[in-house]
Amino acid sequence: MLLSAPANTLPQATLNGARRALLMATLAFAACFSVWTLYAVMGLTLRQQLALSATEYGILLATPILSGALFRIPLGLMADRYRARNLWGYLMLAVLPALALLPQISSYSGYLCLGLWFGISGGAFTLGIRYVSDWFSSDRQGLALGLFGVGNAGVALTFILVPLIQHYAGWNWIGPIYAAGLAFIALLFFVLAPTLPLAYRATTAQPNASALNLKQLVSDARIWRFGLYYYFVFGSFLALLLWLPQYYMQAYQMTEPQAMAFTLFFVATSSMIRALGGWFADRYGGRAVNWGVFWVCIVCLFFLSYPPTTLVIHGVEKDVQLEISMNVWWFTLLIFIIGVAQGLGRASVYKVLHDYYPRHMGAAGGFVGAIGALGGCTLPILFGMAQDILGIVTGCFMILYGVLALCMITMFFANQAARYQYKLHRAREHNFLLDEDD
């Protein structure tokens, strides 16, 4: 088990310039997140143009998420050794050529390859977590990281901007306009984002012997447990924002603009509530918030998993037919509740992570973030396979129910083990005091 650095290596008070650092980090994260989820909107048109199956569509949505998830691990390790601020600026610049090349692509394989390229923008979260956490004292980490996480709302920009660009400028201008916007944000970040004070930078932003390596991260069971929690609260959020537009169109025969509007409602509420989740985690503890989030979600998923069903009861004189299904408004209400709960959970997971790894938020945060982002990569593929194999539109929610059940079982036994260790420690402490009295 890895041990965190002593508390005295943390700032005892929030540093000067912290608010500006948080503002610029949130703005840059929103821009990167909007690029990372570009296929969430473009995918609907591409599915029709390329005549994709549900599984092929899931793979298309997953490609940017996959590269973003994998890049979070090396970026996290680098962020503990070098300045996260500079790495972040270079990351945004590296994505620009892929966006500029987007109009030249016309094949399915081409979109997959380009998706892997601009998908590295998803690694911005890891750099942002390290950058922001260095500015705030421990008792404000939950709120600070929660506010930074509001940058998830960048996907809302994609849901609004892509249809507008397509309508007024044309399909081929989506990539170039996004490239110009990201270049502007990168320039703004380089100019306005503050650097750490020299006295503090020496212990946090330069190479040091205490930095964690990949072997240490992989061997830490606690990291994997936090990653599993984040796989649900963030991975399923990513998967749902990618999958919901076509779900609304299939299950409720909505038009594309209507489906986008309903999905935008889910995305916006789940992203904006994250700051409140950070405040709750600071006040009541991240573990308690996570447990409450899981219970709320599993109840909602139980109802969402039930497929539309027709029951025929053979009566004495005639058959009685019962229709069991959920209308669009009840469905949207349950999705809204899940989105709010996931937003609270995303902030609380990182609050708990910071409690254990305050000086390793780059490496530990990157590894946990990578596992969570892999949920956004693997779950859409599983959704598509479930629909193709079972032929049930609610198969996606059955999969999420199973994932969440695994999270809750893991958390239950982890909490039981923690209570046992606490009682054992108290018992040893009590015996030690008795020995002193003798």
Side-chain angles (χ1 to χ4, degrees):
M1 189 73 67
L2 296 175
L3 298 176
S4 59
N8 59 14
T9 62
L10 290 173
Q12 300 303 307
T14 297
L15 302 176
N16 292 330
R19 291 185 178 180
R20 182 153 57 96
L22 178 59
L23 175 62
M24 294 309 303
T26 305
L27 179 63
F29 179 44
C32 290
F33 203 86
S34 67
V35 172
W36 195 31
T37 54
L38 199 55
Y39 279 175
V41 181
M42 293 181 63
L44 291 174
T45 302
L46 292 175
R47 183 176 186 179
Q48 296 176 351
Q49 290 180 351
L50 303 175
L52 304 179
S53 67
T55 302
E56 290 173 329
Y57 178 63
I59 294 174
L60 175 70
L61 297 179
T63 49
I65 310 302
L66 174 62
S67 57
L70 296 179
F71 264 85
R72 288 185 174 197
I73 297 176
L75 286 174
L77 296 172
M78 292 172 65
D80 281 343
R81 291 170 168 80
Y82 309 104
R83 298 181 191 177
R85 174 187 177 276
N86 294 348
L87 292 173
W88 197 349
Y90 300 146
L91 174 71
M92 287 187 277
L93 295 179
V95 175
L96 299 181
L99 294 170
L101 288 173
L102 195 56
Q104 311 302 320
I105 305 301
S106 59
S107 65
Y108 180 63
S109 59
Y111 281 113
L112 294 181
C113 293
L114 209 59
L116 291 173
W117 187 350
F118 68 70
I120 64 175
S121 58
F125 176 76
T126 298
L127 299 175
I129 284 291
R130 177 63 209 235
Y131 178 66
V132 171
S133 65
D134 280 340
W135 289 89
F136 291 87
S137 58
S138 183
D139 62 338
R140 298 188 63 187
Q141 285 293 321
L143 181 59
L145 295 179
L147 287 169
F148 166 71
V150 172
N152 285 155
V155 67
L157 297 176
T158 295
F159 275 85
I160 295 171
L161 289 178
V162 169
L164 289 176
I165 295 172
Q166 187 173 355
H167 178 74
Y168 290 103
W171 174 265
N172 289 335
W173 279 97
I174 295 175
I177 290 177
Y178 260 72
L182 187 62
F184 174 75
I185 295 297
L187 177 62
L188 205 64
F189 187 78
F190 272 123
V191 173
L192 298 180
T195 57
L196 283 170
L198 290 173
Y200 188 62
R201 187 189 309 158
T203 59
T204 60
Q206 300 297 332
N208 60 82
S210 65
L212 303 180
N213 57 47
L214 185 58
K215 182 179 179 180
Q216 289 174 302
L217 291 171
V218 171
S219 62
D220 190 344
R222 189 165 53 196
I223 286 282
W224 286 100
R225 178 159 52 87
F226 292 150
L228 177 62
Y229 303 159
Y230 206 61
Y231 184 92
F232 176 77
V233 294
F234 180 65
S236 63
F237 165 74
L238 271 182
L240 285 174
L241 73 87
L242 295 171
W243 196 258
L244 275 178
Q246 66 90 34
Y247 185 93
Y248 272 114
M249 294 171 68
Q250 282 188 333
Y252 298 107
Q253 292 74 52
M254 286 187 175
T255 63
E256 183 175 326
Q258 290 173 331
M260 289 293 181
F262 274 78
T263 305
L264 180 60
F265 175 68
F266 162 78
V267 169
T269 53
S270 185
S271 300
M272 301 305 293
I273 205 69
R274 184 166 181 163
L276 182 61
W279 182 82
F280 277 140
D282 282 338
R283 187 174 180 85
Y284 302 109
R287 191 174 299 175
V289 175
N290 285 340
W291 191 241
V293 162
F294 288 167
W295 270 110
V296 169
C297 288
I298 204 163
V299 171
C300 293
L301 287 171
F302 173 81
F303 292 103
L304 291 174
S305 298
Y306 201 85
T309 305
T310 300
L311 296 177
V312 178
I313 302 174
H314 299 291
V316 176
E317 297 182 355
K318 62 178 182 179
D319 292 342
V320 178
Q321 183 170 299
L322 297 179
E323 299 285 343
I324 302 175
S325 61
M326 185 178 297
N327 66 41
V328 65
W329 299 111
W330 281 109
F331 173 83
T332 301
L333 175 63
L334 293 178
I335 285 292
F336 168 78
I337 294 173
I338 288 177
V340 170
Q342 287 175 333
L344 298 176
R346 292 197 295 278
S348 60
V349 167
Y350 268 83
K351 166 61 178 175
V352 177
L353 187 68
H354 183 271
D355 291 340
Y356 285 100
Y357 307 94
R359 279 282 58 81
H360 304 296
M361 284 300 288
F367 197 85
V368 170
I371 297 173
L374 284 174
C377 165
T378 56
L379 287 173
I381 298 175
L382 293 175
F383 292 171
M385 293 176 64
Q387 183 172 321
D388 285 341
I389 295 172
L390 300 177
I392 299 175
V393 71
T394 60
C396 55
F397 298 109
M398 297 178 185
I399 292 173
L400 290 182
Y401 187 93
V403 171
L404 181 53
L406 179 60
C407 288
M408 296 186 72
I409 292 170
T410 302
M411 178 174 278
F412 173 79
F413 284 109
N415 289 344
Q416 290 295 102
R419 291 190 185 99
Y420 174 77
Q421 291 293 334
Y422 175 74
K423 290 179 181 179
L424 185 62
H425 173 74
R426 291 296 301 270
R428 289 174 177 171
E429 192 176 62
H430 179 69
N431 292 334
F432 175 74
L433 292 175
L434 289 178
D435 291 341
E436 280 192 335
D437 292 338
D438 294 339

